[in-house]
Amino acid sequence: QQQVKQSPQSLIVQKGGISIINCAYENTAFDYFPWYQQFPGKGPALLIAIRPDVSEKKEGRFTISFNKSAKQFSLHIMDSQPGDSATYFCAPRRTALIFGKGTTLSVSS
Amino acid sequence: EAGVAQSPRYKIIEKRQSVAFWCNPISGHATLYWYQQILGQGPKLLIQFQNNGVVDDSQLPKDRFSAERLKGVDSTLKIQPAKLEDSAVYLCASSLILAGYTGELFFGEGSRLTVL
């Protein structure tokens, strides 16, 4: 898990604001870069993912930005909503997902 | 489509006792994973199966943990004897394919273990 460093550890955003979570990795063998979302008492669920040959991917309010040379990728949540309050994990994959430590997002209304 | 099923949802045991967790993956998913999630941390891979063969068990504490996947479907994770530091949520996940750019993991709700 030291292969993946996620920041910040926690984040508080006003409703309608932008949430940004960053992930830095070490292993250049990773071939798939997803973000997972986890609600209390539930297992993680895929939110959005990107391939290393693409620099950005957008799905609705969620965007991944990928910087291969810097070995970093980030999650942007536009127009953040209270329902987005959850823990977010970057989890790059070689043969299995390697999870970061997570970012707890709280969106205040 | 039914999701990944896990049982029991909660288990409380004394240290040095044994415990077993069961997982039934999504039908047709060849790959099955067990992850350990300690409170406040990200899930940590314990073991990965492809059908009924082990792909990666490098982080499984083999002196106390064991896992099997008979007939390439259901899986059981056992801890014997349990230690206090084994208190965690044990997550089972499954996926359709092993390699490539896709291969979303579908997680169960987990089995929460408390060791006293």
Side-chain angles (χ1 to χ4, degrees):
Chain A
Q1 258 169 298
Q2 292 179 346
Q3 300 181 59
V4 180
K5 294 183 180 179
Q6 190 174 333
S7 62
Q9 185 176 351
S10 63
L11 186 60
I12 300 174
V13 174
Q14 295 271 7
K15 179 182 176 181
I18 301 173
S19 304
I20 302 174
I21 305 171
N22 300 299
C23 187
Y25 62 93
E26 298 174 0
N27 192 338
T28 55
F30 290 139
D31 65 357
Y32 173 67
F33 299 86
W35 286 93
Y36 275 73
Q37 179 188 55
Q38 185 176 32
F39 293 102
K42 302 293 184 183
L46 177 66
L47 184 63
I48 187 171
I50 198 167
R51 300 173 347 181
D53 56 348
V54 177
S55 61
E56 187 174 281
K57 182 177 180 181
K58 183 176 180 180
E59 290 183 354
R61 297 185 294 109
F62 303 95
T63 299
I64 292 183
S65 296
F66 181 73
N67 186 329
K68 188 173 182 177
S69 61
K71 292 188 286 186
Q72 294 178 349
F73 62 112
S74 61
L75 174 68
H76 295 233
I77 305 174
M78 310 299 288
D79 186 26
S80 298
Q81 298 297 311
D84 297 330
S85 297
T87 302
Y88 294 81
F89 296 96
C90 62
R93 184 194 69 187
R94 191 166 62 89
T95 57
L97 301 181
I98 307 299
F99 283 80
K101 291 189 175 182
T103 296
T104 301
L105 171 64
S106 296
V107 181
S108 59
S109 53
Chain B
E1 179 181 83
V4 176
Q6 290 189 246
S7 67
R9 287 295 315 277
Y10 305 94
K11 189 74 176 178
I12 300 174
I13 61 173
E14 299 281 337
K15 61 182 179 183
R16 292 187 288 276
Q17 287 186 324
S18 63
V19 62
F21 301 112
W22 172 82
C23 173
N24 180 241
I26 293 172
S27 177
H29 282 196
T31 309
L32 185 146
Y33 311 78
W34 283 101
Y35 281 84
Q36 178 194 57
Q37 186 173 23
I38 293 173
L39 186 65
Q41 297 184 20
K44 171 189 169 185
L45 178 69
L46 293 176
I47 189 167
Q48 178 183 354
F49 292 96
Q50 173 81 352
N51 295 310
N52 60 349
V54 176
V55 174
D56 182 358
D57 63 356
S58 58
Q59 297 194 78
L60 186 73
K62 299 181 185 65
D63 57 334
R64 298 183 300 105
F65 286 64
S66 65
E68 60 181 9
R69 189 182 185 197
L70 299 176
K71 300 180 182 179
V73 182
D74 293 3
S75 178
T76 302
L77 176 71
K78 297 180 181 178
I79 307 174
Q80 182 178 12
K83 293 185 175 181
L84 297 177
E85 59 260 37
D86 298 332
S87 294
V89 175
Y90 291 86
L91 293 163
C92 180
S94 67
S95 68
L96 269 171
I97 58 176
L98 176 63
Y101 293 119
T102 56
E104 175 182 355
L105 264 64
F106 294 85
F107 284 84
E109 294 192 329
S111 294
R112 180 178 296 277
L113 173 65
T114 301
V115 182
L116 303 176

